[in-house]
Amino acid sequence: MIPLASRTARRKTETTLLSYSRQGLPRPARLYSSPTKRASAPTLDAVPSTLSDSFPAFLPSLSKFDSDGTGDSSDMVTFLRSPTPYTVLPPPLPLDKRVDGGDTLYTDTPTRDYIAVMDACLHNGYDVPRAKEIFDDLRAKQSQYVFHPRLYTTFIEAYLNMAVQEPEKKSLWVEDAWTLLDTMFSGREKVAATTSTYALALLAWLRYSSENSPTYIDGITSHTPSSLLTGIVDNQLSVATVVADRAITSSEEAHGIIQALTKVAVQLNYPEIIRELGQAEAMASTAPDPLSGVPEAAPVTVSTLLMNEDGTSTGETQTEVPFNLDTLRKHLAHVSLARRVLAEDLAARQKVLEDSVYDVSVQRMRRQAEIFQKIGLGGSALKQPDLQLWMWQWHQQLHARLKEDIALLRKQEESTKTKPQQRLVPFLSLIKPDKLSLITILEIMRLQGTGGVADGMKTARGLVAVGRAVELEYKAQMCKKNNITVPSSTRSGEQGFFSRFSYQDLHARRVTARKYMEDAEEWTSEWTQVLRVRVGSFLVDRLMEVAKVIRTGRDKRTGEPVEEEQPAFTHSYEYLRGYKLGVLKLNPAVAERMAKDSMRDTMHPRHLPMLVKPKPWLNYNEGGYIYNKSHVMRFKDSQEQQQYLKHASSSGNVELVYAGLDVLGSTPWQVNRRVFDVVLQVWNSGERLGKVPPAVHDEPEPVKTPEMEVDQKARSLYVQRQRQWLVNKANNHSDRCSVNYKIEIARAFLGDTFYLPHNLDFRGRAYPLPPHLNHIGDDLSRGLLLFGEAKPIGERGLWWLKIHLSNLYGYDKATFEERVTFVDQHLDDIYDSADNPLTGRKWWQAADDPWQCLATCMELKSALQSPDPLAYECALPVHQDGTCNGLQHYAALGGDARGARQVNLDVTDRPSDVYTYVGNMVEKRMREDLEKDPNNQYAKLLVGKVSRKVVKQTVMTTVYGVTFVGAREQIEKQLKDRGDVPLEDCYMAAAYLAKQVLQCIGTLFQGANDIMNWLTACARIIAKSVPGDRVTAAMELDLPPARARRIPPAGTTRLRKEQMTAVVWTTPLGLPIVQPYRKVKRKQIMTSVQSVYISDPNAPAEVNTQKQASAFPPNFIHSLDATHMLLTALECRTQGLAFASVHDSYWTHPSSIDQMSGIIRDTFIALHSSDVLRRLLDEFRERYKGYKVPVASLKTSQILKQLGITEAATETASRRSKAAQAGLDLATIDAIEEDDEPPAEVVDRPPEVFVLTKEQLLKLLRPSRLKRVKQAEDGTESVPEETLEGKFVDLVDLLPPVPTKGEFDVNKIKSSLYFFS
């Protein structure tokens, strides 16, 4: 158990838990239990059904929500305006400055490799002496990574097991165990004793110090049950939990410990302990009965003789239920956690789903192979080779090969003095060879077509994926080993989430459940990328050697059939974007079968939905799937982000983030059977429809023309078209495999209610963990999904369902009434689409989202034709989408009235469409270009073809920092999809159009540009800074290490190496965001497949200043829209609404849209009423207090160019005036740097360090100096940089003020009909 931060915090937690344990007794299921009643939200009939002049009809009346308190958002507003707790950690040290054994926060790769070897050697007692050697060495080096209670108890347990396995060395192993126990009891190494510690100590005493023990060792320890019980009481641990700890595996030993402790408790006069032990023994003798009211079966009993006080037998017997340790643990799970365990039937199915995926795959493949053999179709007799038969043959051969090679490798490693971190056998022995074989085959087949490689994958990606899959399977086995009781769902949220009590309650519940889970699980370590590559290489190399396929064909000369044995997987090199890249390729025959055959045997449960509600997020690495380990955030190989989240979680700063993810994961789903039947019919037909690609690529291959022989341009055009045709053909195959996955998963879950566990990306955006079939997927995925619960649609729900259908069809920029009219006018087409989707007029196929449109057509027809349309039970999700949500956040941040009107924040009669507006601006500019130059080729080609769809993505991503190259690629893709622009002209036409679009946008959203510039300026300053305690080290001379490949110029300082500061900020919900952008340093790993280069997340390099700066605006906005989504999810749970989201698209039942629309507006207003930018500036000032920015890194000339100042000798007053107009002060302007840094100055000794004030900096960077900088750029004069070397300025002094806010009042959103629609 992990102790709370203070005695006060402990008391608060105990008080909270006590209050919950007394509610509703004797029913103890309160913690993490399902909602028992509907939240006290307004009923459906309370929602107005007609439009009101005073208040939008789809928004709940404020008075109604205030009257019962359900919709009162004052707690949320108070929470968002209160100070956000920051998680502040130092940046990682440069790699060459790390002490031996690793940093206290950021452990290096060699140390992690040692720890992984130690873990593997401990597993099943593989090599405990070697593990002990590594452990003692790391402790001697004071490596902070090993000072963890769970690791200490793992070693104590291993020592006690070794005492049983090696009786001749029993005394030595037990002595080692007591030595480690004494270390924990004394606190010498700052590792606190836990429940498991005392359980192991009692076990050791019972086995080796109890005089009645057959393995008694005299004088091995001075500890007695009396001293141990005193320690348990002093540490405020539950004695019953100690007895039920997983370390005690024998019911007889647990019973003996209870008897010894009871005797001691009597002697020490501990009545509470006596009572607790008595209850524990009683609970362990009574099996819990989950079926209340059902007669019990008579329990199995044992007969015992009754004894007299003098120890003689009375001759009489009595029967009793024997002591059972598992029963005790199950009781404690009910009582101490006070929550329901998983429903037995669904839990069993989910356990099978996660537990035996490889066993099921093997059984199914073996069965199919036996069937083929019986009917004489084994081996090459199959005219159409079957994928499962091939996989079974590969598995048999690879299994045998792995057993042989692992045995040989074990002998080799034992006979030679191989370094511990270079050994592979300990890791290959964690999982049996048959599972290693299946993991390798399934992972390689799953990754085909990824990373831009047709019918294959990048070698590095494949090797890492196989290694990671082995690691995850090992950890899943450790989770399953102890049969842990799992929390089933979060609290209902009926009382809200944002009050102080609710937040503390969330924290108390999570801490209690987390401690229980940690104490019940065995310790495991994280593998490094290097280790994953080495394990993956060993397995993939063997797979490529043994896996073969028989390909058949016909001889072109004789026409006779021929066959040839070929490798199923091969390694080769390809050029991708100018880089030579190692790839693993599937044999064309295998790739072809993957697009046709069933894919269910290639599915791992971590890629599937769940049959039960996901495990609540209890920690940064505990939640989601029951057994398969997941992290709450996708770290992008950033050790720094992981450490920030770990510390924020332990401090209780991210409770609402965890709660929001639990809300998203607890939304039930089901497969839309009617749509699935149509999809399956289309799939089996092999025809193209919507997102279902054809079985055979249907695009005609370019034809060679006679002109190619003499016309170079014609030949070049043919080559270009042929290359694009091959790419499209490969993409068609890849898409076919992807759709195959979706269909197989949907088919497997037909008739089931399932759930999608969620986690976050590093910006805080939520994504489902199952990657193939989820609501964030494409139109086909969304069309296949329904909510798991249906609700009466009602009058307003029917109205919204029609609007939803209009939106999906593409008629989404009209008023609501016009959209409803549009649907009413097409009811005949809608009915025809629902009844005859593939044989009728196919109206639905012309929709923007055809599969979702078909699902809505079917639902609308069913509702309208039901006996009572308003009572129709509807499970179809209806969406409310933001209008260019990034621009909405920018407009609200800056109070930009003009921008607010463009993105529907302001009140308008009709919805504004910023994409159409920009498209019309571009059309106008192109016509003007044609008037100036009638021969303008691209203006002439594009006039009349610039639809909103062509410019939509570019407009949307402009506020996220899209570059010209990115805009050109986006527009080029849209032009190709249109098909009316010649392929050879798409590139140059897209370049011309991108320039026009970016120029139009620049003048339209000036407020957004001001905020983007401010965010970029802050990020550049931060990325150039150095912590105050590292300034002296930054001025040391950069001396090359021994055997350095790249030797720095003599006399340069370490300044650039010390610039390790990433941009970090905290969302309003307390989530720390760390930008992971650092300069790429790849590590070469020699493998049997090829030499692999990977980035090592445990060896961070200095930050990439340009990437930190350019990515900050979009990442910050993404963190805001993620916060808005989580706030909305929590409020919807409070008011009893089903909720799902796709970033800025929020889903609920049709009848709940009015209520959710009000919540969306309330949460957005509350978020932007908290002065977000000022709070961000305050956080930067607090977080980076004491950080210094080198004056040599300040680039004044770049800022002058950005501000349009062309004369370097401009007067100071003029410069200040232009700076004020841009919202920046002079120091800030001078601080922002260019991409190209000047070379570092050569010095003969470390320069002195001077910290300048802001006034001194302004004097140093005077206008005359700026003039000389400009002249230096012209080559007319050089600037002496020696005056800047060693000079620093406080980062806080350079931070620019927040841009002046405009006049737009964010509260107007409340009356905006089309804000989200």
Side-chain angles (χ1 to χ4, degrees):
M1 296 179 68
I2 301 173
L4 293 178
S6 66
R7 190 175 298 272
T8 302
R10 185 190 299 274
R11 264 193 242 111
K12 289 181 178 179
T13 302
E14 292 172 350
T15 303
T16 303
L17 292 176
L18 182 61
S19 67
Y20 269 85
S21 65
R22 291 174 177 169
Q23 292 180 19
L25 292 175
R27 180 176 175 270
R30 285 288 174 184
L31 190 61
Y32 288 100
S33 62
S34 301
T36 57
K37 62 181 180 179
R38 184 178 294 273
S40 53
T43 57
L44 289 176
D45 56 6
V47 180
S49 60
T50 58
L51 293 174
S52 167
D53 296 332
S54 60
F55 202 77
F58 65 93
L59 301 182
S61 171
L62 289 176
S63 60
K64 291 179 182 176
F65 282 92
D66 290 340
S67 64
D68 61 13
T70 304
D72 185 7
S73 60
S74 60
D75 284 341
M76 177 172 57
V77 173
T78 302
F79 175 85
L80 291 174
R81 291 182 178 178
S82 61
T84 303
Y86 307 141
T87 302
V88 181
L89 300 176
L93 294 173
L95 192 60
D96 58 350
K97 285 293 183 179
R98 293 187 173 194
V99 296
D100 191 19
D103 201 331
T104 57
L105 285 175
Y106 310 106
T107 310
D108 55 21
T109 294
T111 303
R112 283 184 175 270
D113 279 336
Y114 268 111
I115 293 168
V117 172
M118 183 173 65
D119 178 19
C121 288
L122 284 175
H123 181 66
N124 291 333
Y126 176 81
D127 194 346
V128 176
R130 182 173 296 277
K132 181 179 183 298
E133 180 183 342
I134 298 173
F135 182 55
D136 292 340
D137 181 52
L138 291 175
R139 288 169 62 200
K141 292 178 180 178
Q142 297 292 305
S143 176
Q144 297 296 319
Y145 197 86
V146 298
F147 294 133
H148 194 285
R150 290 173 66 195
L151 178 56
Y152 276 58
T153 55
T154 300
F155 267 96
I156 295 168
E157 189 174 0
Y159 295 163
L160 294 179
N161 291 337
M162 290 301 294
V164 176
Q165 296 174 19
E166 299 181 354
E168 69 280 1
K169 297 180 181 179
K170 175 178 62 179
S171 297
L172 295 177
W173 286 117
V174 176
E175 183 179 355
D176 287 337
W178 278 113
T179 301
L180 213 52
L181 283 166
D182 286 334
T183 300
M184 298 186 72
F185 292 148
S186 65
R188 288 194 300 270
E189 295 181 359
K190 298 181 181 180
V191 179
T194 65
T195 300
S196 295
T197 309
Y198 284 100
L200 288 167
L202 288 165
L203 191 62
W205 174 86
L206 184 69
R207 289 180 182 177
Y208 305 109
S209 298
S210 173
E211 294 181 356
N212 298 327
S213 172
T215 55
Y216 175 77
I217 302 175
D218 186 31
I220 196 67
T221 182
S222 61
H223 287 287
T224 64
S226 178
S227 64
L228 295 174
L229 181 59
T230 302
I232 292 173
V233 173
D234 291 343
N235 285 278
Q236 300 181 9
L237 302 176
S238 166
V239 66
T241 308
V242 171
V243 176
D245 189 82
R246 64 168 181 81
I248 304 174
T249 57
S250 165
S251 297
E252 291 76 13
E253 287 180 330
H255 188 50
I257 290 172
I258 286 182
Q259 288 182 327
L261 290 177
T262 303
K263 183 178 179 180
V264 171
V266 172
Q267 296 171 354
L268 298 178
N269 193 23
Y270 285 155
E272 297 85 358
I273 300 297
I274 298 171
R275 185 162 50 251
E276 188 176 358
L277 289 170
Q279 290 174 348
E281 191 160 15
M283 285 191 295
S285 303
T286 308
D289 181 15
L291 301 177
S292 176
V294 178
E296 293 186 7
V300 176
T301 59
V302 294
S303 299
T304 58
L305 288 173
L306 293 177
M307 308 295 291
N308 293 316
E309 293 183 359
D310 59 0
T312 61
S313 172
T314 64
E316 299 179 2
T317 61
Q318 67 175 5
T319 59
E320 60 182 17
V321 178
F323 184 93
N324 187 281
L325 187 58
D326 288 334
T327 305
L328 171 61
R329 288 173 177 158
K330 200 165 187 179
H331 267 295
L332 289 175
H334 277 273
V335 177
S336 66
L337 288 183
R339 46 116 177 97
R340 292 192 184 99
V341 294
L342 293 168
E344 293 298 328
D345 53 346
L346 290 178
R349 290 182 63 196
Q350 182 65 27
K351 185 177 187 301
V352 169
L353 188 66
E354 294 192 36
D355 188 13
S356 57
V357 57
Y358 300 116
D359 298 332
V360 170
S361 295
V362 170
Q363 292 171 7
R364 186 179 292 124
M365 289 186 289
R366 181 190 293 118
R367 176 63 178 162
Q368 187 149 341
E370 291 172 353
I371 293 174
F372 284 150
Q373 198 67 37
K374 285 182 180 178
I375 61 178
L377 293 179
S380 59
L382 278 175
K383 293 183 179 180
Q384 288 293 327
D386 182 82
L387 187 61
Q388 291 186 9
L389 180 60
W390 275 344
M391 291 171 65
W392 170 244
Q393 294 170 349
W394 301 339
H395 170 61
Q396 288 181 306
Q397 296 162 357
L398 183 57
H399 179 201
R401 178 65 180 271
L402 287 177
K403 288 180 64 177
E404 179 183 346
D405 285 4
I406 291 174
L408 291 174
L409 185 60
R410 177 182 286 109
K411 292 181 180 179
Q412 179 183 345
E413 291 184 349
E414 290 175 352
S415 62
T416 59
K417 294 183 178 180
T418 307
K419 294 181 179 180
Q421 66 269 31
Q422 294 179 352
R423 294 189 172 219
L424 269 185
V425 173
F427 303 100
L428 296 172
S429 302
L430 294 173
I431 299 175
K432 294 180 180 179
D434 59 337
K435 279 195 176 181
L436 287 176
S437 170
L438 257 295
I439 288 172
T440 307
I441 295 170
L442 298 185
E443 282 297 315
I444 291 299
M445 296 183 70
R446 180 182 69 85
L447 288 172
Q448 73 88 23
T450 60
V453 180
D455 295 336
M457 71 222 70
K458 298 175 183 177
T459 302
R461 181 172 188 172
L463 301 186
V464 170
V466 172
R468 188 188 299 274
V470 174
E471 177 191 11
L472 292 175
E473 178 62 20
Y474 161 58
K475 291 184 177 180
Q477 287 182 0
M478 291 298 97
C479 290
K480 301 165 192 170
K481 182 177 179 181
N482 297 302
N483 201 21
I484 304 167
T485 306
V486 181
S488 59
S489 63
T490 62
R491 49 174 293 206
S492 66
E494 294 171 5
Q495 305 303 320
F497 293 90
F498 300 102
S499 69
R500 178 176 298 180
F501 174 78
S502 297
Y503 194 92
Q504 291 174 347
D505 178 42
L506 276 175
H507 181 60
R509 291 167 181 267
R510 185 178 64 81
V511 167
T512 304
R514 188 198 71 205
K515 287 180 180 179
Y516 171 78
M517 297 295 293
E518 284 186 352
D519 290 344
E521 287 184 12
E522 293 191 16
W523 173 85
T524 57
S525 69
E526 292 285 337
W527 289 13
T528 63
Q529 290 286 69
V530 175
L531 177 56
R532 291 168 184 151
V533 167
R534 293 176 59 231
V535 171
S537 171
F538 180 90
L539 298 173
V540 172
D541 183 45
R542 272 69 184 172
L543 174 63
M544 290 194 297
E545 290 181 8
V546 303
K548 307 292 182 182
V549 295
I550 302 295
R551 294 192 66 186
T552 59
R554 291 192 176 274
D555 191 302
K556 293 183 178 179
R557 295 171 297 177
T558 63
E560 296 181 356
V562 294
E563 64 178 33
E564 180 182 57
E565 183 181 74
Q566 296 180 352
F569 308 94
T570 57
H571 174 263
S572 62
Y573 290 92
E574 290 184 359
Y575 282 91
L576 187 65
R577 298 177 181 175
Y579 291 94
K580 185 180 180 182
L581 190 69
V583 295
L584 299 175
K585 303 281 284 190
L586 274 67
N587 190 290
V590 179
E592 181 181 355
R593 295 313 305 175
M594 286 192 70
K596 296 179 180 179
D597 290 356
S598 170
M599 305 296 292
R600 59 184 173 180
D601 290 319
T602 67
M603 289 291 180
H604 192 279
R606 69 175 181 271
H607 305 135
L608 298 176
M610 296 182 67
L611 291 168
V612 295
K613 289 185 179 181
K615 179 166 61 177
W617 285 104
L618 307 177
N619 206 349
Y620 76 100
N621 60 351
E622 187 73 58
Y625 290 109
I626 296 178
Y627 299 122
N628 291 295
K629 281 289 187 181
S630 304
H631 285 85
V632 76
M633 181 175 284
R634 306 173 186 196
F635 295 118
K636 288 183 69 69
D637 293 333
S638 173
Q639 192 184 26
E640 190 176 8
Q641 175 70 81
Q642 183 172 343
Q643 286 296 330
Y644 265 92
L645 188 56
K646 179 180 178 180
H647 281 74
S649 182
S650 62
S651 301
N653 295 344
V654 289
E655 304 304 324
L656 294 183
V657 176
Y658 288 162
L661 289 175
D662 292 340
V663 169
L664 296 175
S666 63
T667 299
W669 297 92
Q670 59 180 315
V671 174
N672 190 329
R673 179 60 185 267
R674 293 183 293 180
V675 174
F676 175 81
D677 290 340
V678 179
V679 171
L680 191 61
Q681 186 176 348
V682 172
W683 173 263
N684 290 334
S685 72
E687 299 176 356
R688 179 189 296 275
L689 180 58
K691 291 293 182 180
V692 179
V696 179
H697 187 46
D698 53 2
E699 180 184 350
E701 185 174 1
V703 180
K704 292 183 178 181
T705 60
E707 292 82 3
M708 289 174 49
E709 302 297 330
V710 294
D711 188 347
Q712 184 62 32
K713 184 176 180 181
R715 177 175 177 79
S716 175
L717 180 60
Y718 168 78
V719 171
Q720 183 179 356
R721 291 181 174 177
Q722 178 70 12
R723 185 184 297 116
Q724 185 62 47
W725 181 84
L726 291 173
V727 170
N728 293 342
K729 182 180 179 182
N731 289 341
N732 182 82
H733 174 75
S734 179
D735 292 342
R736 185 85 179 169
C737 293
S738 176
V739 173
N740 197 354
Y741 274 116
K742 292 180 175 67
I743 292 175
E744 287 294 342
I745 295 173
R747 182 177 182 180
F749 284 87
L750 280 175
D752 281 325
T753 297
F754 56 87
Y755 302 85
L756 302 173
H758 283 63
N759 69 352
L760 307 168
D761 68 5
F762 79 96
R763 302 163 302 185
R765 280 188 149 191
Y767 293 84
L769 282 169
H772 299 294
L773 182 65
N774 60 59
H775 60 290
I776 291 187
D778 58 12
D779 171 54
L780 175 61
S781 298
R782 299 180 189 185
L784 285 170
L785 295 178
L786 295 172
F787 282 136
E789 299 173 349
K791 286 186 177 182
I793 193 168
E795 181 181 356
R796 296 289 296 171
L798 193 60
W799 190 69
W800 277 112
L801 187 63
K802 292 180 179 180
I803 293 174
H804 180 59
L805 177 55
S806 177
N807 293 341
L808 292 172
Y809 198 81
Y811 190 73
D812 57 347
K813 295 307 169 188
T815 65
F816 289 144
E817 290 75 14
E818 290 170 346
R819 297 182 215 181
V820 171
T821 301
F822 171 82
V823 171
D824 290 339
Q825 291 173 348
H826 288 86
L827 280 180
D828 188 43
D829 292 323
I830 292 168
Y831 281 28
D832 178 72
S833 297
D835 293 334
N836 309 296
L838 301 179
T839 59
R841 296 190 293 272
K842 304 178 183 179
W843 176 81
W844 64 278
Q845 296 182 19
D848 286 353
D849 298 301
W851 291 110
Q852 293 176 83
C853 179
L854 176 62
T856 312
C857 288
M858 292 177 172
E859 201 72 12
L860 182 60
K861 175 180 178 292
S862 298
L864 294 177
Q865 290 189 340
S866 64
D868 183 359
L870 300 185
Y872 174 75
E873 296 279 337
C874 179
L876 184 77
V878 172
H879 314 166
Q880 291 282 280
D881 298 347
T883 306
C884 197
N885 192 238
L887 283 173
Q888 288 182 322
H889 281 285
Y890 271 121
L893 287 172
D896 182 3
R898 183 184 180 191
R901 286 191 295 272
Q902 292 293 338
V903 291
N904 293 316
L905 263 62
D906 209 343
V907 180
T908 56
D909 296 331
R910 300 184 63 82
S912 299
D913 183 11
V914 64
Y915 310 122
T916 301
Y917 188 85
V918 172
N920 294 337
M921 290 177 66
V922 172
E923 281 281 353
K924 181 179 178 181
R925 289 177 65 95
M926 289 193 303
R927 294 184 187 280
E928 292 174 353
D929 286 349
L930 274 179
E931 291 177 2
K932 297 176 184 176
D933 181 11
N935 296 322
N936 188 319
Q937 175 185 354
Y938 299 109
K940 185 185 303 183
L941 179 66
L942 295 170
V943 164
K945 299 176 182 177
V946 183
S947 63
R948 71 184 301 272
K949 188 174 182 180
V950 171
V951 302
K952 178 179 179 179
Q953 188 178 10
T954 304
V955 175
M956 187 187 307
T957 55
T958 296
V959 294
Y960 296 135
V962 69
T963 62
F964 171 78
V965 174
R968 186 201 65 216
E969 291 176 349
Q970 293 168 351
I971 293 175
E972 182 181 9
K973 181 179 182 301
Q974 295 299 329
L975 293 180
K976 288 179 179 178
D977 290 344
R978 283 182 61 92
D980 54 2
V981 177
L983 182 63
E984 60 274 15
D985 292 328
C986 281
Y987 180 88
M988 292 305 298
Y992 168 78
L993 196 54
K995 180 180 178 181
Q996 302 294 332
V997 172
L998 293 177
Q999 288 177 351
C1000 291
I1001 296 173
T1003 59
L1004 187 59
F1005 299 104
Q1006 187 59 47
N1009 285 332
D1010 290 344
I1011 296 175
M1012 286 176 61
N1013 291 336
W1014 180 79
L1015 294 171
T1016 302
C1018 291
R1020 279 181 170 148
I1021 296 169
I1022 292 168
K1024 280 299 180 185
S1025 66
V1026 177
D1029 59 354
R1030 299 296 303 169
V1031 168
T1032 303
M1035 288 296 99
E1036 294 175 359
L1037 295 182
D1038 189 12
L1039 302 177
R1043 300 180 183 178
R1045 291 187 177 183
R1046 183 180 178 184
I1047 300 177
T1052 56
T1053 66
R1054 294 179 44 80
L1055 177 59
R1056 293 184 184 176
K1057 286 187 176 181
E1058 292 287 346
Q1059 290 175 329
M1060 303 285 290
T1061 310
V1063 179
V1064 183
W1065 71 98
T1066 307
T1067 71
L1069 291 181
L1071 180 69
I1073 309 295
V1074 182
Q1075 292 200 143
Y1077 313 114
R1078 295 183 178 273
K1079 294 181 180 177
V1080 178
K1081 286 189 177 179
R1082 299 195 178 276
K1083 188 171 187 176
Q1084 182 180 13
I1085 305 173
M1086 302 300 297
T1087 72
S1088 54
V1089 179
Q1090 73 168 63
S1091 179
V1092 177
Y1093 289 86
I1094 63 170
S1095 58
D1096 186 357
N1098 301 320
E1102 56 269 26
V1103 295
N1104 183 333
T1105 304
Q1106 179 60 24
K1107 185 65 175 173
Q1108 288 278 345
S1110 62
F1112 181 39
N1115 288 339
F1116 179 70
I1117 295 299
H1118 281 314
S1119 72
L1120 282 185
D1121 70 47
T1123 300
H1124 180 218
M1125 185 277 295
L1126 289 175
L1127 290 171
T1128 305
L1130 293 171
E1131 275 299 300
C1132 284
R1133 167 56 60 88
T1134 300
Q1135 299 187 24
L1137 307 186
F1139 180 82
S1141 79
V1142 184
H1143 305 319
D1144 62 345
S1145 176
Y1146 300 166
W1147 300 10
T1148 192
H1149 290 93
S1151 58
S1152 303
I1153 286 291
D1154 288 328
Q1155 197 171 343
M1156 187 182 73
S1157 295
I1159 294 172
I1160 293 171
R1161 286 155 175 79
D1162 284 339
T1163 51
F1164 192 90
I1165 293 170
L1167 175 63
H1168 284 282
S1169 297
S1170 60
D1171 204 350
V1172 176
L1173 294 183
R1174 182 195 58 79
R1175 291 162 64 93
L1176 177 65
L1177 180 60
D1178 290 344
E1179 178 181 352
F1180 283 164
R1181 286 172 175 164
E1182 180 66 27
R1183 181 179 298 281
Y1184 299 109
K1185 184 188 300 181
Y1187 281 61
K1188 313 298 179 185
V1189 179
V1191 177
S1193 296
L1194 307 183
K1195 301 296 182 296
T1196 56
S1197 59
Q1198 173 69 9
I1199 302 305
L1200 292 174
K1201 292 177 183 177
Q1202 289 180 354
L1203 296 177
I1205 302 175
T1206 56
E1207 297 295 330
T1210 306
E1211 294 296 330
T1212 303
S1214 175
R1215 294 177 63 246
R1216 291 183 182 275
S1217 174
K1218 290 184 178 290
Q1221 293 176 10
L1224 308 174
D1225 64 5
L1226 183 60
T1228 302
I1229 296 171
D1230 292 347
I1232 302 179
E1233 43 85 42
E1234 291 178 319
D1235 297 346
D1236 53 331
E1237 292 187 56
E1241 182 192 357
V1242 177
V1243 294
D1244 56 358
R1245 64 172 184 269
E1248 282 188 73
V1249 175
F1250 297 95
V1251 179
L1252 307 180
T1253 65
K1254 186 173 181 179
E1255 291 73 19
Q1256 290 172 326
L1257 174 68
L1258 296 177
K1259 185 176 179 181
L1260 181 63
L1261 301 178
R1262 58 191 180 276
S1264 59
R1265 175 175 175 77
L1266 294 178
K1267 179 178 180 180
R1268 290 158 59 203
V1269 171
K1270 180 66 176 177
Q1271 292 171 343
E1273 291 179 351
D1274 295 338
T1276 58
E1277 184 178 339
S1278 62
V1279 179
E1281 292 287 345
E1282 67 275 7
T1283 57
L1284 303 182
E1285 197 67 36
K1287 292 181 173 59
F1288 292 82
V1289 64
D1290 278 329
L1291 183 153
V1292 173
D1293 291 341
L1294 295 177
L1295 290 173
V1298 175
T1300 304
K1301 198 166 186 176
E1303 299 177 353
F1304 177 72
D1305 181 6
V1306 73
N1307 288 289
K1308 288 185 177 180
I1309 296 171
K1310 196 70 177 177
S1311 301
S1312 172
L1313 286 171
Y1314 303 105
F1315 167 56
F1316 267 65
S1317 63

